[in-house]
C-alpha cells in the first residue's frame, strides 16, 4: 500500500466507541494479501477508474482498516466497497491465493444492513424489499410479473413507450430493469419431475432450475435437460428446490440465504443423484459455496455445515459434468462463427474455462473465435447492473465493443445475468446479434433443429 493511499484514509479519532465490523472474518484472510498489486490490472473497476481505492488491494486495505477500528465506514468508503463487482477476477490474478470473495461477501453481510454510527440495522428500501428479495428469488411471482411485459412486447406497446421516451418517467431502477428485459420467449411446457436417459444409462442427475433463470430462460433449462438425456443421463427436477440464495447473500441478507441453502440441499438429498447440474454460473458458484457460507453464518452449527458440504460436493456446472462424463459427439452441423464470453462466476469462481470450449468444438461446422478481454466482467454481476448503473454500463459497452470486433455472428456464455446484460448492451449498440447458452447450440446440434 502506498503512503499516499494511507494518508488519504480518514482516521477515526475514538474508534473504540463504534460497533466493530468485520469480526466474522478470520483475520488471517486479510494477512494473505502481501500488497504486491499484481491483481490491479485484472480488476474491472480499477481498469475503468484508475483509483487504488477501487482495486482489490485497496479494498482489502479498507476492509482491514475498518476491522482494526482504524477508520470509520464512511459513505465514501462504502462507495468504494459497493463498486466491487465480486467478479473474483482478482483471485485468478493473485499469486498469494487471497480468497477475496470470502472477504468481501461476509463483510457485505455485516455492513450492508448495518449503520456503524447508530449500531442499528438499516431498513431495506422498496427496491430491496419488493424487488430484490420479494420478486426475483421467486420464479412463479416473476413469471406473473413478466406477463404484462410480454404482452406489451407482442403488441408493440413496449417499443412505442421506448420511442416516445415514456420509460424515462419510471424510477431509475425500474428503468434499468426495463432496459435489461430481453424479448420474452414463449415459456413452453414446464419441465416435468423426471426425464429418462436416451440410450444406455450413464448417470442419474438432478437439474437445478433457480429463480430468474427459470422465469426468463426456461428454454435453456429444456435445452440442458435434452443434452443431458442425449448423453445418457436420467434427469430429475425436484419441485421443492428454490432460489440459490445469491441475491440475498450478495446483498447482505445472510440468514434468508442460509434458509434457501438448506431447502435446496433437502430437495435434492431425497433424489439419490450422482450430481446436481447447474447451467447458470452465478447459481453454480453460490451452490458450491454453501459450505463456506454455513461456516461464516452459522459457526458451531455442525449439522447445517455437514449437510450443506455433502450437497455442495455434488454440484457441477453442466459443461464440467459433460466434459468429465465424456460427451457424445453431436452429428448435425451449425455452420456459424461464434465467440465465447467467460462468465466471471464460471472462470474465476469455479475455474471452468476449457470445458465449455471443448463442448462447442464438438459441433460440426461451428467456428469459435477468441474474444479479447474475455475474462473481464461485462458489468452484470448479479443485481449490480441495477444498483451500480454507471459502472455496469461502462463495462457493458467495453464488452460489446470487444464482441463486435470479433466478426462473430453470435456470442455464447454460460450465465443468465451476463446474457441479460450483453443482449441489452448489444441492442443499445444497434446490434441484433443473438446471445446463446452453449447448451442451446449443443441441443440444436444433437437434434438438427
Ligand atoms: S490480493 Fe493478491 S495480488 Fe492483490 S495485492 Fe494482495 S497479494 Fe497481491
Ligand atoms: S472482485 Fe472484481 S471488482 Fe472486486 S476487487 Fe476483485 S477484481 Fe475488482
Amino acid at each position: 500500500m502506498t503512503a499516499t493511499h494511507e494518508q488519504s484514509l480518514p482516521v477515526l479519532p475514538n474508534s473504540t466507541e463504534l460497533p466493530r465490523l468485520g469480526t466474522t472474518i478470520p483475520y488471517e484472510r486479510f494477512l494473505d494479501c502481501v500488497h504486491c498489486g499484481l491483481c490491479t490490472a485484472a480488476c474491472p473497476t480499477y481498469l475503468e477508474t484508475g483509483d487504488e481505492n477501487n482495486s482489490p488491494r485497496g479494498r482489502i486495505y479498507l476492509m482491514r482498516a475498518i476491522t482494526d477500528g482504524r477508520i470509520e465506514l464512511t459513505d465514501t468508503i462504502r462507495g468504494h466497497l459497493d463498486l466491487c463487482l465480486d467478479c473474483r477476477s482478482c483471485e485468478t490474478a493473485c499469486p498469494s491465493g487471497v480468497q477475496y470473495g470470502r472477504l468481501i461477501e461476509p463483510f457485505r453481510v455485516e455492513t450492508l444492513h448495518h449503520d456503524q454510527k447508530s449500531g442499528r440495522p438499516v431498513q431495506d428500501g422498496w427496491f430491496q424489499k419488493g424487488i430484490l428479495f420479494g420478486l426475483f428469488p421467486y420464479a412463479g411471482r416473476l413469471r406473473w410479473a413478466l406477463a404484462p411485459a410480454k404482452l406489451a412486447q407482442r403488441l408493440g406497446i413496449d417499443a412505442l413507450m421506448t420511442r416516445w421516451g415514456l420509460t424515462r418517467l419510471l424510477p431509475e431502477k425500474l428503468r434499468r430493469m426495463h432496459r435489461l428485459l430481453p424479448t420474452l420467449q414463449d415459456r413452453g411446457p414446464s419441465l416435468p419431475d423426471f426425464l429418462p436417459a436416451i440410450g444406455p444409462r450413464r448417470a442419474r442427475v438432478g437439474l437445478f432450475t433457480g429463480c430468474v433463470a427459470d422465469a426468463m430462460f426456461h428454454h435453456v433449462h429444456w435445452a440442458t435437460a435434452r443434452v443431458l438425456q442425449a448423453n445418457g443421463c436420467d434427469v430429475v427436477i425436484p419441485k421443492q428446490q428454490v432460489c440459490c440464495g445469491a441475491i440475498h447473500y450478495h446483498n447482505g441478507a445472510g440468514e434468508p440465504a442460509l434458509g434457501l441453502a438448506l431447502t435446496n440441499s433437502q430437495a435434492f438429498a431425497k433424489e439419490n443423484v450422482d450430481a446436481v447440474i447447474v447451467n447458470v454460473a452465478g447459481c453454480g458458484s453460490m451452490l458450491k459455496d454453501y459450505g463456506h457460507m454455513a461456516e461464516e453464518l452459522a459457526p458451531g452449527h455442525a449439522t447445517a455445515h455437514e449437510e450443506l458440504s455433502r450437497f455442495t460436493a455434488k454440484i457441477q456446472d453442466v459443461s464440467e459434468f459433460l466434459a468429465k462424463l465424456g460427451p457424445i459427439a453431436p452429428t448435425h452441423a451449425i455452420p456459424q462463427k461464434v465467440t465465447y464470453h467467460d462468465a466471471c462466476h464460471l472462470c474465476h469462481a469455479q475455474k471452468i474455462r476449457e470445458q465449455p470450449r471443448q463442448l462447442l468444438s464438438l459441433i460440426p461446422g461451428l467456428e469459435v473465435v477468441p474474444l479479447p478481454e474475455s475474462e473481464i466482467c461485462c458489468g452484470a454481476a448479479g443485481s449490480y447492473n441495477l444498483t451500480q448503473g454507471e459502472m455496469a454500463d461502462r463495462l457493458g459497452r467495453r464488452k460489446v465493443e470487444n464482441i463486435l470486433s470479433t466478426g462473430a455472428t453470435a456470442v455464447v456464455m454460460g450465465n443468465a445475468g451476463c446474457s441479460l446484460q450483453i443482449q441489452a448492451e448489444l441492442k443499445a449498440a444497434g446490434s441484433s446479434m443473438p446471445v446463446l447458452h452453449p447448451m442451446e447450440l449443443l441441443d440444436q446440434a444433437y437434434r438438427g433443429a
Side-chain angles (χ1 to χ4, degrees):
M1 184 59 46
T2 61
T4 330
H5 182 79
E6 290 205 26
Q7 279 155 15
S8 71
L9 296 172
V11 176
L12 200 62
N14 52 1
S15 56
T16 47
E17 291 169 15
L18 297 176
R20 295 293 295 274
L21 295 171
T23 48
T24 57
I25 303 170
Y27 198 74
E28 319 79 73
R29 278 191 213 154
F30 290 112
L31 302 181
D32 288 340
C33 176
V34 295
H35 312 309
C36 65
L38 291 171
C39 53
T40 50
C43 173
T45 56
Y46 180 76
L47 288 178
E48 284 292 321
T49 63
D51 182 343
E52 173 75 20
N53 293 297
N54 293 333
S55 76
R57 178 171 64 176
R59 290 187 178 115
I60 292 169
Y61 186 85
L62 293 174
M63 287 188 280
R64 185 175 161 192
I66 292 167
T67 304
D68 290 345
R70 284 183 284 121
I71 61 167
E72 186 182 348
L73 178 64
T74 60
D75 287 346
T76 310
I77 291 177
R78 201 187 271 273
H80 293 305
L81 297 177
D82 286 354
L83 200 66
C84 171
L85 297 135
D86 196 10
C87 68
R88 295 166 65 177
S89 176
C90 43
E91 288 187 11
T92 298
C94 176
S96 304
V98 169
Q99 303 172 73
Y100 180 84
R102 297 190 69 196
L103 289 170
I104 191 80
E105 288 165 12
F107 199 82
R108 278 186 174 162
V109 170
E110 279 192 55
T111 58
L112 277 180
H113 291 269
H114 181 103
D115 181 87
Q116 198 188 5
K117 283 219 175 79
S118 66
R120 290 203 195 99
V122 174
Q123 289 303 310
D124 293 331
W126 68 269
F127 180 70
Q128 266 87 354
K129 249 196 225 155
I131 309 279
L132 270 190
F133 301 154
L135 180 63
F136 287 171
Y138 303 96
R141 289 184 201 172
L142 199 51
R143 275 199 299 278
W144 279 106
L146 288 173
K150 191 150 120 191
L151 188 65
Q153 284 182 351
R154 296 279 151 88
L155 298 175
I157 300 168
D158 186 62
L160 277 183
M161 275 176 66
T162 309
R163 199 169 319 138
W164 292 341
L166 294 179
T167 49
R168 281 203 294 268
L169 303 174
L170 294 169
E172 198 209 336
K173 290 197 172 77
L174 292 185
R175 199 168 63 238
R176 294 197 64 79
M177 280 169 64
H178 175 263
R179 183 176 181 272
L180 287 170
L181 206 59
T183 305
L184 295 163
Q185 297 197 19
D186 273 332
R187 181 178 157 79
S190 291
L191 282 161
D193 296 344
F194 177 77
L195 288 163
I198 296 170
R201 198 181 88 157
R202 300 165 76 200
R204 176 179 163 88
V205 300
L207 179 63
F208 181 78
T209 52
C211 53
V212 175
D214 197 40
M216 297 173 95
F217 295 95
H218 198 64
H219 57 284
V220 175
H221 286 342
W222 265 111
T224 305
R226 283 191 296 259
V227 168
L228 289 165
Q229 286 180 282
N231 277 279
C233 301
D234 279 347
V235 185
V236 184
I237 306 122
K239 289 282 175 288
Q240 301 81 359
Q241 61 175 308
V242 289
C243 163
C244 67
I247 298 174
H248 287 94
Y249 191 52
H250 295 152
N251 285 285
E255 230 171 87
L258 195 56
L260 292 167
L262 289 165
T263 308
N264 277 326
S265 84
Q266 282 151 17
F268 284 93
K270 316 174 199 143
E271 301 296 347
N272 192 25
V273 290
D274 302 312
V276 175
I277 305 298
V278 192
N279 60 12
V280 177
C283 306
S285 162
M286 181 72 212
L287 293 162
K288 285 181 178 178
D289 261 354
Y290 275 180
H292 292 148
M293 183 175 73
E295 247 173 55
E296 265 134 31
L297 297 177
H301 198 318
T303 326
H305 186 235
E306 270 166 36
E307 184 182 324
L308 291 177
S309 299
R310 256 197 316 275
F311 175 58
T312 289
K314 294 207 165 172
I315 307 296
Q316 292 191 46
D317 181 76
V318 62
S319 63
E320 180 185 18
F321 173 79
L322 287 171
K324 266 192 223 151
L325 185 71
I328 293 172
T331 49
H332 296 278
I334 303 182
Q336 260 203 64
K337 179 155 98 172
V338 300
T339 192
Y340 178 78
H341 156 71
D342 284 279
C344 300
H345 280 86
L346 209 50
C347 71
H348 301 306
Q350 299 184 57
K351 314 290 177 220
I352 294 174
R353 295 178 172 84
E354 289 314 312
Q355 299 91 324
R357 290 177 167 89
Q358 272 168 20
L359 293 176
L360 292 173
S361 74
L362 294 176
I363 300 176
L366 192 78
E367 185 190 354
V368 185
V369 291
L371 173 63
E373 295 191 346
S374 176
E375 294 194 6
I376 292 287
C377 181
C378 64
S383 53
Y384 185 94
N385 48 5
L386 299 175
T387 54
Q388 297 286 339
E390 198 213 326
M391 181 56 73
D393 289 350
R394 279 164 74 167
L395 292 169
R397 282 195 295 273
R398 186 177 179 128
K399 180 61 67 181
V400 159
E401 277 166 25
N402 281 318
I403 291 170
L404 294 175
S405 77
T406 63
T409 53
V411 55
V412 188
M413 63 205 67
N415 190 41
C418 304
S419 300
L420 291 175
Q421 167 81 347
I422 290 175
Q423 64 81 30
E425 287 298 336
L426 281 166
K427 199 157 69 178
S431 166
S432 55
M433 183 188 283
V435 176
L436 301 169
H437 192 284
M439 291 304 119
E440 289 182 270
L441 284 170
L442 267 182
D443 180 40
Q444 281 178 34
Y446 282 121
R447 297 196 300 150

